[in-house]
Amino acid sequence: MTVESPAVGSGPTADEIADRILALPGVELPVATEESGAPEAAWGWRFFYVGADRRRPFATIGERDMAGFDEDSRLDRPGVFRLNLDLGRREFERLFGYPPAESDDRRASIDSSVLDEVLPHPVYGTAAWACVLNPGPRSLAEVERLIGCAHDRAAERDRRTHRTP
């Protein structure tokens, strides 16, 4: 039996997911633009950080492929976006049943273009990133939990970075 992927538009929009993330404490949101010096392939991508140093995002949202680099999710389909989350090794392994280091070896067996399913990130899985295209009825509760997990990790990293001796 084949499980149908939900239709585009059956869950929150990219803007609504971004608003949920921005409602968390300490979140900063730069958007990649020509003026920001970002490469053209990244224009429009949103990068969510905790704290102002902006060294490492804990989440990103993309609505278009990065040609020649990140095309497995087929983000150039109308209405499709991808939420990416930095989960850390422990949460990644709990979620997928294998360590991030095995992501590249397993990549060929994963359809990175399926909607509403939490998956290892097609490019950054080895760095313990997960992703979901158009979170919807099947994945939204887990996505909400994982956003919290990624945010908590980033907030802790920011606290450690900015501790006063």
Side-chain angles (χ1 to χ4, degrees):
M1 179 176 164
T2 302
V3 177
E4 282 293 315
S5 186
V8 171
S10 63
T13 65
D15 289 341
E16 290 167 339
I17 294 289
D19 288 344
R20 290 177 185 190
I21 297 170
L22 283 168
L24 297 169
V27 174
E28 302 274 336
L29 171 63
V31 176
T33 63
E34 182 177 14
E35 296 77 26
S36 72
E40 185 175 353
W43 293 352
W45 277 69
R46 302 175 224 200
F47 295 83
F48 299 88
Y49 298 86
V50 172
D53 68 7
R54 296 181 183 174
R55 290 185 179 182
R56 184 171 161 191
F58 71 91
T60 66
I61 294 177
E63 298 179 72
R64 60 187 246 184
D65 288 328
M66 291 186 181
F69 174 68
D70 182 1
E71 300 172 300
D72 289 358
S73 295
R74 298 181 26 236
L75 297 179
D76 288 336
R77 293 175 284 166
V80 175
F81 69 94
R82 186 177 69 206
L83 169 66
N84 308 295
L85 298 165
D86 178 10
L87 300 182
R89 286 186 300 273
R90 198 173 335 193
E91 184 62 26
F92 184 98
E93 188 165 355
R94 187 204 66 75
L95 190 61
F96 300 116
Y98 57 88
E102 293 181 18
S103 285
D104 283 347
D105 295 337
R106 296 173 182 257
R107 186 173 174 180
S109 66
I110 297 169
D111 180 356
S112 296
S113 68
V114 68
L115 303 179
D116 194 21
E117 186 175 330
V118 179
L119 302 167
H121 190 284
V123 176
Y124 296 113
T126 56
W129 280 71
C131 66
V132 60
L133 278 68
N134 294 57
R138 223 173 31 212
S139 68
L140 196 54
E142 181 70 350
V143 166
E144 294 282 356
R145 186 187 74 75
L146 294 173
I147 289 170
C149 174
H151 175 265
D152 290 348
R153 283 176 36 80
E156 178 56 30
R157 192 169 48 242
D158 185 60
R159 278 191 292 278
R160 284 192 318 264
T161 301
H162 295 99
R163 272 192 199 145
T164 53

